[in-house]
Amino acid sequence: MNKKIRIAVQKSGRLQEQSVKLLKECGLAFSNGPNRLKAETFNFPAEILFLRDDDIPQYVEDKVADIGIVGENVFIEKQKQVDLVQRLDFSKCRLAIAVSKDKQYDGPSSLEGKKIATSYPNIVNKFLKEKNINAEIHEISGSVEIAPGIGLADAICDIVSTGSTLLSNGLKEVETVMRSEAVLIANNSLDNEIQELLEKLIFRIKAVNTAKNNKYLLLNSPNESIEAITKVLPGMKSPTVTPLQQEGWSSLHSVVNENEFWAIIDQLKALGAQGILVVPIEKMII
Ligand code: ATP
Ligand code: ZN
């Protein structure tokens, strides 16, 4: 019987939707109704396990799941014997230290002898060690941001994306401890068959994520501008050039990074480009 790769994803929470979306974009078809613990994929030998994200590193170490999607912060905090095999480019956030907005803060030394509430004791410990600070870590599992307000701690270390939660709790961010994004982790002794499935999946993830950052660009160019336009296009290779019905004009097709595209748009127009189309790419193999 052919083996299936067991993929752990968060059961509910901030990683869930995008983890499922990514796997689906990679061509894995499965249904993920609420309260499901497991889902079979129809067209790829895989099984999806829906678990609490904090438990995923342990399950992957124990090979209950072969691979899993977690926040890098959880991967680092849990210190399990698992490999980070692919960064996934979503759920970007940072772990930051915050204090009451009316407290003075003059750098890490202001934390000396203080109490820091966090769900990430290992990460905070490492940070304090690096800065040579002695502080007491108070581990709590949720609602960390209310700790200073109720007198439980002087500072917190928690996940921040926009900072609005901190603000509404009267806190200010004072140190970035680490940056994080969703990552794919894997057991470090997978058998060959499963390893091959993992490599197939990583190949697809790269194709999906590369496509997200790139756009397919089409434009019409007067023939005398083709060379100049080609020079400013940050394409994968040289653009495809096809003559238009209209004498002296050609159509140029290329793949460009979306951010770079905005930087050259004025140059393209100045060189006489017309009818510029920017189209999303679904998958991109490079
Ligand atoms: P619990 O498991 O107890 O529900 P949690 O903090 O572990 O709480 P989520 O809030 O679902 O679970 O967060 C899961 C992961 O998503 C975090 O570990 C982090 O990597 C990422 N994350 C959390 N908050 C944000 C955010 N505001 N923006 C982007 N990514 C975030
Ligand atoms: Zn969690």
Side-chain angles (χ1 to χ4, degrees):
M1 201 186 86
N2 283 339
K3 288 195 177 164
K4 291 177 179 177
I5 186 166
R6 285 157 307 170
I7 309 170
V9 300
Q10 191 186 31
K11 187 170 52 176
S12 68
R14 290 185 194 258
L15 290 167
Q16 210 267 342
E17 201 181 308
Q18 276 183 288
S19 303
V20 165
K21 183 163 164 266
L22 176 65
L23 294 175
K24 292 192 169 173
E25 284 168 340
C26 289
L28 278 63
F30 56 94
S31 53
N32 59 309
N35 306 322
R36 292 197 67 151
L37 291 178
K38 248 190 209 184
E40 298 281 331
T41 53
F42 308 121
N43 48 359
F44 188 88
E47 194 172 67
I48 318 292
L49 309 177
F50 297 99
L51 300 167
R52 187 159 176 250
D53 68 328
D54 308 59
D55 298 333
I56 290 175
Q58 181 73 61
Y59 282 126
V60 171
E61 183 183 280
D62 295 344
K63 239 195 215 184
V64 173
D66 299 301
I67 61 173
I69 299 177
V70 291
E72 198 176 347
N73 51 315
V74 168
F75 162 68
I76 302 274
E77 174 63 28
K78 298 296 173 185
Q79 303 184 339
K80 300 295 172 196
Q81 297 301 310
V82 296
D83 297 331
L84 192 170
V85 291
Q86 178 67 40
R87 302 186 159 274
L88 299 176
D89 213 21
F90 65 84
S91 285
K92 294 200 171 169
C93 58
R94 56 192 185 275
L95 264 185
I97 293 184
V99 299
S100 291
K101 64 176 186 317
D102 44 7
K103 281 255 165 67
Q104 198 181 330
Y105 186 84
D106 316 303
S109 61
S110 297
L111 298 169
E112 185 70 39
K114 295 283 172 17
K115 224 188 221 185
I116 307 173
T118 186
S119 311
Y120 300 93
N122 290 325
I123 294 173
V124 177
N125 236 326
K126 184 166 169 281
F127 173 82
L128 293 173
K129 245 196 189 138
E130 277 167 13
K131 307 277 176 195
N132 250 324
I133 304 293
N134 281 308
E136 186 186 331
I137 295 175
H138 196 95
E139 184 178 351
I140 46 180
S141 57
S143 304
V144 173
E145 66 284 351
I146 65 165
I150 59 171
L152 192 67
D154 307 294
I156 65 161
C157 179
D158 203 8
I159 293 165
V160 182
S161 61
T162 61
S164 57
T165 310
L166 292 184
L167 218 62
S168 60
N169 283 284
L171 301 171
K172 62 178 174 191
E173 187 176 343
V174 292
E175 298 282 349
T176 300
V177 174
M178 77 169 279
R179 294 190 180 279
S180 176
E181 66 184 293
V183 294
L184 186 67
I185 56 170
N187 179 279
N188 56 20
S189 59
L190 295 173
D191 22 323
N192 291 343
E193 228 171 313
I194 301 291
Q195 184 66 33
E196 264 172 44
L197 290 173
L198 171 59
E199 274 155 30
K200 252 187 208 168
L201 186 63
I202 290 176
F203 176 82
R204 293 185 188 191
I205 290 172
K206 283 184 177 156
V208 168
N209 281 347
T210 309
K212 277 181 195 155
N213 296 325
N214 286 280
K215 297 279 180 270
Y216 194 71
L217 173 77
L218 304 92
L219 59 83
N220 294 333
S221 161
N223 285 345
E224 61 273 17
S225 296
I226 292 175
E227 213 185 311
I229 287 182
T230 303
K231 275 196 187 126
V232 298
L233 281 181
M236 285 172 80
K237 287 210 179 81
S238 56
T240 309
V241 182
T242 16
L244 292 181
Q245 186 80 349
Q246 190 182 345
E247 212 37 55
W249 281 79
S250 296
S251 166
L252 264 63
H253 298 195
S254 187
V255 172
V256 296
N257 182 292
E258 191 173 22
N259 301 323
E260 290 172 11
F261 167 74
W262 288 114
I264 59 162
I265 179 76
D266 292 332
Q267 269 171 289
L268 293 178
K269 286 200 322 212
L271 289 165
Q274 292 183 4
I276 302 172
L277 291 181
V278 180
V279 190
I281 299 170
E282 197 170 311
K283 309 276 189 297
M284 189 163 146
I285 321 295
I286 47 175

